[in-house]
Amino acid sequence: MNGARAIKQLKKLPLVQSIDDQLWIQLSPLISFTDLAEGETLFTAGRESQNLYVVVDGELGLYMPCSDSRETYYLQSRKKGETAGDFAVLNGGDHLVTAIAVRKTRIAMFPRYAFELLTNLDSGILAHVYDVAAALSRRVTLARAYLELFGDLSNKLMEKLLEKTIVRHYHSGQVLFREGDLPDGLYVIVSGKLIVESTTAQGTQRRMAEVQAPETVGELALLADTHRSGTVTAARESTVALLNRESFDLLIAPHAIMLKRLSRLVVRRHIANARQETAVASDTNFVIIPLDSRLPLRRFVHQLKSSMRELGTTLALDSRSFDTLYGRTGASQTGVDNMFNSAVAEWLDDKENRLDSLIYVADRQWNSWTRRCVNRADRIVLLANALPENDPGLRQMEIQLETLFSNLSIRPRVDLVLLHPSNTHFPTGTASWLDKRRLDAFYHVRINDPLHFGRLARRLRNLARGIVFSGGGARGYAHLGVQRLIEEHDIRIDYIGGSSMGGLLGAAMAMGRDYENIRMLSATFANKQALYDYTLPLASLMKSAKLTRFCQSVYRDTRIEDLWTPFFCVSSNLADGREVIHDRGPLWKVVRSTISLPGVFSPVPTTNGDLLIDGAVLNTFPVDVMHDRLGGNGNIIGVNVSHIPEQFHYYDFGTSLSGWQVLLSRINPFVDRIRIPRIAETLLRATDIKSIERLNEARDSLEVLVEPNVRSISLLDFKSYEQISELGYAEARRVFIRHGLCPDTVNTDESMVWSPDEILTTSTGTS
């Protein structure tokens, strides 16, 4: 067939009938035709393409290859008048499937330029292509989910599974099934996120898991033939496929291997449930809601997107860019009750399945696009101008959000980003923003600062790196050596936490004080005369005024919530025996609380009548707190110098001890000197012992654990801070090299590197 006859045949197809004769003059030279024999391949999965194909006559079969075998799975057919290669040409990527001629077939090929010209002439064509591509993508995702669940399947079985599966859309807060229901089938998540909750013995709801594509829910009740053990709710707009019970019994139950794979999934979840662990799914959909009109919104989104792309594929969508990409003006304002809604949802589902993260930018008013964004949100990010003159009060948009969430059983995380001008030195006034809002997290971001946007991106994606410093008295100066190594190799730290001495040094690091600055301050802390002010020991050995002045001079009027790098520390409440987590308030005061060694320094009273003492009493190594702050994911570096086995001297004073006899042995040269542990060191060591079980749990949960050998160093040997710091540096370097956090290079100045033996020899052991 010649070109003119082929074009004439193409023009009769319903898809392109809206194109008039004059416009065909532009298109015709760009279109080429090819004839395929039965069994001949048009394109192959995984190959990049810039062409859209239209079936002029005949039929194409679309097949998905399995990466683990040579098996291919039939998914769909494309017949006369239908398109192929939709996904690749729209996304500028690889084909999802392989297209093979079922019989003799004629294909019209539109190169990308012609495709764009075609869609510019008729936006309905673009909408059609998007819908077809999204439907195919969903089918591929479902097939891959079945393969991941059950391993290799026969082509016939896969075809039956896809044929019997019903795809349903759920809005945020909708319940798929409830605890106690009879099982109606197996649910496979195509897109979105589901929350699984069960009722505890006390009658409260406990979150058991967060589940996202391509996982399943409901398999336990099917296998055990029992009632549902939990309630499953859509955490956000989700697409879920249901294989009903009859089809499950017919297609899956007869196959032992398939049942075995499902049983393993049940066992893993049962073990996690027995350990009271909640499986946390990663956040992928982020919704930016601008609270102020005077915001550099486009610049913020562009810089966040750039940082997100360092972590994976990312797309940012506002209502205007969505309309442009979708190919229909006003499509972003499609309501959920509109007949076109499912097509829009499938298009967004396709993007969600193909990308690592989506950044939705809501409109400044509450409309259909904003509502759609919120319904698809894993996390809502409120964006506000942090200028001091800006009103920190609630905006109308936030009030509307709260009204929406009040009717939902499950709400997404809501975070606040305070955006600062590029010349901001330190944030101020954060408390006034936090006091008025119910937030899951907040962030300080300086515009045009790649370090700040990198930290924001990692925290949003649950890929942040935190560091936790333990208590341990003077041994805590090992933390300073770790900080030195971090600075030398520019290792990004996104969150800092600590207890006792670890809280003191971690707070200085979070303030932005570098290694050299803290090293100089350490000389003051090592001076007994600068910190010790003995008093009548009714409440404590020390008056603690000097310690208070030291904390105030170092941390000044800085508040925790005003730090660029987020920080927390812990103290112990004498009133109720509970751990107190400090993440707000004056930095000097919380440091003063976390280092208040009981019996040595006076407790710190609070306005509600509590008394706070050293954090090491209850939690000397608060890795669990950091784990919660990072959303159950992320990377944690732990530096532990607490509960290190001691090297005690030989003591022979028996079961009673007179202080007067000890004093006499020290001033009378004719009396044998009585060796005793000092009271302050005994009290400090006692704080370690109280939290030993929790400490061991923290150590076991870490992949990157730095534990310098400090057992021969006295807990009160503060004047040896430089040697202890070097010991921490050397051990951290060994651990960091092993985990790929720093290169295996040799320090050129060998005189500046202390060996552990030199450090142990130089250390006084007692002070």
Side-chain angles (χ1 to χ4, degrees):
M1 182 181 292
N2 61 37
R5 290 181 61 190
I7 288 290
K8 185 177 180 179
Q9 187 179 14
L10 175 63
K11 290 167 66 175
K12 294 179 180 179
L13 300 178
L15 179 66
V16 294
Q17 278 185 346
S18 61
I19 306 301
D20 60 38
D21 291 338
Q22 186 63 35
L23 297 176
W24 273 110
I25 296 175
Q26 295 177 258
L27 284 171
S28 296
L30 304 173
I31 303 170
S32 60
F33 295 86
T34 185
D35 290 320
L36 301 174
E38 180 181 341
E40 190 174 351
T41 299
L42 175 63
F43 55 76
T44 305
R47 295 287 182 87
E48 187 175 354
S49 174
Q50 295 291 325
N51 300 316
L52 177 72
Y53 303 94
V54 177
V55 181
V56 180
D57 194 23
E59 182 180 356
L60 287 174
L62 303 184
Y63 299 85
M64 186 192 79
C66 178
S67 58
D68 297 331
S69 70
R70 296 181 179 180
E71 187 75 66
T72 59
Y73 297 98
Y74 169 79
L75 298 180
Q76 286 179 337
S77 285
R78 298 291 169 88
K79 299 179 180 179
K80 183 177 178 178
E82 297 180 330
T83 57
D86 328 86
F87 183 85
V89 74
L90 289 174
N91 295 277
D94 299 337
H95 286 295
L96 290 176
V97 294
T98 296
I100 301 174
V102 176
R103 57 180 182 270
K104 186 177 179 180
T105 303
R106 170 160 290 153
I107 299 295
M109 183 175 72
F110 289 75
R112 186 169 185 84
Y113 173 75
F115 169 69
E116 291 172 351
L117 179 61
L118 182 68
T119 55
N120 286 336
L121 299 175
D122 187 349
S123 61
I125 295 175
L126 181 60
H128 166 80
V129 173
Y130 269 125
D131 294 344
V132 171
L136 177 62
S137 174
R138 187 174 64 247
R139 200 165 177 86
V140 169
T141 300
L142 184 56
R144 287 174 175 168
Y146 279 135
L147 287 174
E148 187 168 326
L149 283 171
F150 303 122
D152 286 344
L153 302 173
S154 69
N155 210 321
K156 186 176 181 180
L157 182 54
M158 175 66 81
E159 188 175 349
K160 287 183 178 180
L161 284 171
L162 295 177
E163 179 186 341
K164 295 294 184 181
T165 301
I166 302 170
V167 177
R168 296 174 176 174
H169 293 282
Y170 295 88
H171 297 304
S172 176
Q174 278 190 285
V175 176
L176 281 72
F177 55 79
R178 298 186 182 278
E179 186 174 1
D181 288 350
L182 289 172
D184 57 343
L186 179 70
Y187 289 79
V188 182
I189 306 167
V190 178
S191 68
K193 181 187 293 185
L194 307 180
I195 303 297
V196 184
E197 296 178 311
S198 65
T199 305
T200 66
Q202 293 74 34
T204 60
Q205 290 296 304
R206 173 179 170 259
R207 182 169 295 192
M208 299 168 62
E210 297 178 4
V211 191
Q212 58 189 169
E215 295 184 71
T216 66
V217 289
E219 65 283 335
L220 176 60
L222 282 174
L223 293 173
D225 195 22
T226 61
H227 292 78
R228 298 291 192 190
S229 59
T231 298
V232 176
T233 309
R236 57 176 169 88
E237 189 168 330
S238 303
T239 301
V240 182
L242 171 64
L243 183 69
N244 64 39
R245 183 167 186 169
E246 181 182 352
S247 298
F248 178 88
D249 291 339
L250 178 66
L251 300 176
I252 294 178
H255 299 276
I257 294 179
M258 298 172 73
L259 289 178
K260 183 178 180 180
R261 284 177 171 268
L262 271 183
S263 299
R264 286 175 179 170
L265 178 63
V266 171
V267 170
R268 286 198 300 269
R269 289 179 178 170
H270 179 75
I271 292 173
N273 187 42
R275 294 175 177 173
Q276 297 291 300
E277 296 174 353
T278 300
V280 179
S282 298
D283 292 336
T284 58
N285 285 10
F286 307 95
V287 177
I288 309 297
I289 296 184
L291 298 185
D292 301 313
S293 57
R294 297 182 62 186
L295 276 169
L297 182 59
R298 288 190 178 183
R299 203 179 344 158
F300 172 83
V301 173
H302 174 73
Q303 293 176 7
L304 176 58
K305 181 175 65 176
S306 297
S307 294
M308 284 282 205
R309 282 179 172 170
E310 295 179 9
L311 307 174
T313 53
T314 302
L315 175 67
L317 286 173
D318 59 13
S319 56
R320 181 180 298 180
S321 63
F322 174 81
D323 286 351
T324 300
L325 290 173
Y326 194 84
R328 196 184 73 168
T329 302
S332 60
Q333 302 304 331
T334 303
V336 295
D337 55 350
N338 189 294
M339 62 180 297
F340 200 58
N341 174 64
S342 61
V344 173
E346 287 171 4
W347 189 93
L348 292 171
D349 283 350
D350 172 69
K351 292 295 178 286
E352 181 180 323
N353 288 327
R354 300 300 154 198
L355 299 166
D356 294 311
S357 60
L358 276 173
I359 302 173
Y360 291 92
V361 183
D363 289 337
R364 296 183 189 275
Q365 64 275 5
W366 190 259
N367 56 24
S368 294
W369 172 251
T370 298
R371 177 67 179 263
R372 184 179 296 279
C373 293
V374 170
N375 282 342
R376 301 184 76 90
D378 287 323
R379 193 178 302 203
I380 292 173
V381 180
L382 306 174
L383 181 64
N385 194 326
L387 289 172
E389 61 269 21
N390 195 21
D391 179 14
L394 285 175
R395 293 1 183 212
Q396 184 60 36
M397 182 73 82
E398 295 177 275
I399 296 172
Q400 289 172 307
L401 278 176
E402 284 301 322
T403 301
L404 172 66
F405 294 153
S406 65
N407 298 320
L408 297 178
S409 59
I410 294 175
R411 55 181 280 160
R413 286 175 56 97
V414 178
D415 298 350
L416 173 67
V417 169
L418 293 171
L419 190 61
H420 300 264
S422 56
N423 60 353
T424 304
H425 189 51
F426 281 118
T428 58
T430 309
S432 60
W433 289 88
L434 304 184
D435 290 341
K436 297 175 175 62
R437 290 169 174 82
R438 175 186 170 187
L439 299 170
D440 293 287
F442 68 94
Y443 317 83
H444 290 292
V445 176
R446 190 162 48 200
I447 197 70
N448 300 328
D449 191 326
L451 296 180
H452 286 206
F453 278 92
R455 176 181 296 131
L456 174 62
R458 289 188 295 272
R459 289 186 64 192
L460 289 176
R461 289 291 313 280
N462 296 329
L463 296 172
R465 176 179 287 127
I467 190 165
V468 179
F469 297 123
S470 78
R475 295 168 174 176
Y477 277 118
H479 306 324
L480 186 55
V482 178
Q483 179 180 349
R484 173 187 157 198
L485 186 68
I486 287 171
E487 291 177 4
E488 286 179 355
H489 294 281
D490 199 25
I491 298 170
R492 299 286 180 247
I493 299 297
D494 303 311
Y495 217 125
I496 300 173
S499 180
S500 193
M501 191 65 176
L504 182 148
L505 292 170
M509 183 178 175
M511 280 183 69
R513 293 183 179 272
D514 60 18
Y515 161 78
E516 284 297 335
N517 183 278
I518 302 175
R519 187 178 67 84
M520 289 187 289
L521 288 172
S522 300
T524 301
F525 201 77
N527 186 343
K528 290 182 180 180
Q529 285 69 36
L531 292 177
Y532 289 7
D533 46 2
Y534 290 94
T535 186
L536 184 65
L538 297 178
S540 59
L541 293 175
M542 306 295 167
K543 182 180 178 182
S544 307
K546 289 183 177 181
L547 179 63
T548 297
R549 285 195 295 271
F550 171 80
C551 292
Q552 290 172 333
S553 67
V554 172
Y555 305 104
R556 302 189 295 273
D557 57 353
T558 302
R559 296 181 63 88
I560 295 181
E561 64 268 22
D562 290 334
L563 295 170
W564 291 118
T565 303
F567 169 77
F568 73 85
C569 65
V570 300
S571 65
S572 305
N573 191 343
L574 274 179
D576 58 13
R578 295 183 181 180
E579 170 189 353
V580 179
I581 302 172
H582 301 280
D583 55 9
R584 293 184 60 181
L587 193 56
W588 75 264
K589 195 168 187 178
V590 300
V591 171
R592 170 68 176 81
S593 301
T594 195
I595 61 174
S596 295
L597 179 62
V600 178
F601 297 111
S602 61
V604 176
T606 66
T607 54
N608 59 359
D610 293 332
L611 289 176
L612 304 182
I613 59 172
D614 198 299
V617 171
L618 294 178
N619 194 353
T620 188
F621 196 24
V623 172
D624 55 336
V625 179
M626 181 64 79
H627 190 267
D628 291 340
R629 295 303 164 103
L630 298 185
N633 295 302
N635 309 295
I636 301 177
I637 299 172
V639 188
N640 175 45
V641 292
S642 185
H643 191 65
I644 303 296
E646 292 289 342
Q647 288 183 341
F648 288 112
H649 297 283
Y650 175 70
Y651 299 117
D652 60 354
F653 49 79
T655 56
S656 62
L657 181 63
S658 167
W660 298 109
Q661 289 180 333
V662 173
L663 178 61
L664 179 63
S665 74
R666 292 186 176 180
I667 62 177
N668 188 340
F670 301 105
V671 176
D672 291 336
R673 185 181 180 91
I674 301 175
R675 304 182 67 89
I676 62 167
R678 287 171 300 168
I679 183 172
E681 191 159 359
T682 300
L683 291 170
L684 189 58
R685 184 61 181 170
T687 64
D688 274 357
I689 294 173
K690 290 179 181 178
S691 57
I692 181 172
E693 182 177 354
R694 197 168 182 181
L695 171 64
N696 288 334
E697 290 176 357
R699 295 169 66 214
D700 292 341
S701 69
L702 287 169
E703 180 180 354
V704 182
L705 175 62
V706 179
E707 286 190 308
N709 182 3
V710 291
R711 60 181 306 203
S712 65
I713 297 174
S714 167
L715 291 166
L716 296 177
D717 188 10
F718 289 100
K719 68 173 180 286
S720 297
Y721 62 90
E722 296 222 42
Q723 296 96 315
I724 302 170
S725 172
E726 289 293 338
L727 186 57
Y729 177 89
E731 180 60 22
R733 185 172 176 275
R734 280 190 286 271
V735 173
F736 282 17
I737 289 172
R738 187 167 69 248
H739 290 278
L741 293 174
C742 69
D744 188 3
T745 55
V746 179
N747 193 319
T748 55
D749 186 359
E750 296 293 341
S751 64
M752 294 299 295
V753 180
W754 293 63
S755 72
D757 290 340
E758 289 175 317
I759 295 170
L760 296 178
T761 302
T762 307
S763 175
T764 59
T766 57
S767 61

